[in-house]
Amino acid sequence: MEFACLSCRERWNAASNTNTAQWLQQQTENAKNVVNKYMGKDLTDALVAGSALVAMADGVIDPSEREKLIDYFRTSQEMRGINIRDVDSRFTEFVQKIKNDPMLGKAEALRAVGKVAHKPEAARLVVRLCCAIGFADGEFSPVEKNVVSEICREVHLDPREFIY
């Protein structure tokens, strides 16, 4: 499986964790400007909701997926000021809603993601984090890719920009 960023044309594959780590670092650095521009409850909710959707794609939350989300908010300079407990609590809320009623839970999470649809840079940030969540356990499974594709469509982005 191969990934590519259509913005910078960088390519990497699952076997190349070094390239993946470098790409994620570059994207995190680039995200600082996007987050500062669009920071708010809508962006935070979209990031958390999208992460919950991908983490629940296979019906089971792998601890590495939750850790990836929390680490993102904890270590990203651009996310400074966001309460980690609130992020974790909101993630748990989305996951519970998806577990309790998969159709309605998914719809509510997609609605939260959709709030950044009119902000392409913020939407790309959401999708990039969702890809990282999907890859958190070392494998970006087909079901996780399908969820990321749905998220892309919700925010009016082409999934091929992120997934091959």
Side-chain angles (χ1 to χ4, degrees):
M1 170 175 27
E2 184 177 56
F3 301 88
C5 176
L6 294 181
S7 298
C8 67
R9 307 267 187 230
E10 173 126 355
R11 293 187 173 283
W12 73 98
N13 62 40
S16 175
N17 284 334
T18 302
N19 286 343
T20 302
Q22 289 172 345
W23 179 83
L24 287 174
Q25 180 61 35
Q26 288 172 343
Q27 295 307 314
T28 299
E29 290 170 14
N30 293 341
K32 185 175 184 178
N33 293 334
V34 174
V35 172
N36 288 337
K37 188 174 179 181
Y38 298 116
M39 184 53 107
K41 187 177 182 330
D42 286 349
L43 177 57
T44 302
D45 252 11
L47 289 163
V48 174
S51 296
L53 284 166
V54 174
M56 283 298 297
D58 59 4
V60 178
I61 300 285
D62 187 285
S64 63
E65 294 166 328
R66 181 185 292 270
E67 289 170 22
K68 179 65 84 174
L69 173 67
I70 298 303
D71 283 347
Y72 176 73
F73 277 90
R74 181 177 288 127
T75 62
S76 295
Q77 271 198 283
E78 66 270 8
M79 291 298 172
R80 222 179 330 186
I82 302 291
N83 185 315
I84 300 300
R85 279 182 254 146
D86 290 345
V87 168
D88 193 41
S89 173
R90 193 71 174 125
F91 179 80
T92 300
E93 286 176 33
F94 280 115
V95 166
Q96 275 308 123
K97 288 178 182 183
I98 294 167
K99 282 182 180 179
N100 292 340
D101 187 333
M103 295 284 286
L104 288 176
K106 182 177 180 180
E108 185 170 332
L110 285 172
R111 183 177 53 78
V113 168
K115 288 183 179 179
V116 298
H118 60 285
K119 302 171 185 171
E121 292 173 337
R124 280 184 176 80
L125 178 62
V126 170
V127 174
R128 287 180 186 123
L129 178 59
C130 289
C131 290
I133 298 298
F135 196 71
D137 60 1
E139 179 188 358
F140 197 9
S141 71
V143 68
E144 290 167 330
K145 289 181 195 176
N146 287 339
V147 171
V148 170
S149 291
E150 284 183 74
I151 291 168
C152 286
R153 287 188 293 277
E154 188 70 25
V155 295
H156 314 296
L157 295 175
D158 185 347
R160 295 174 297 180
E161 182 175 341
F162 307 92
I163 304 169
Y164 282 109

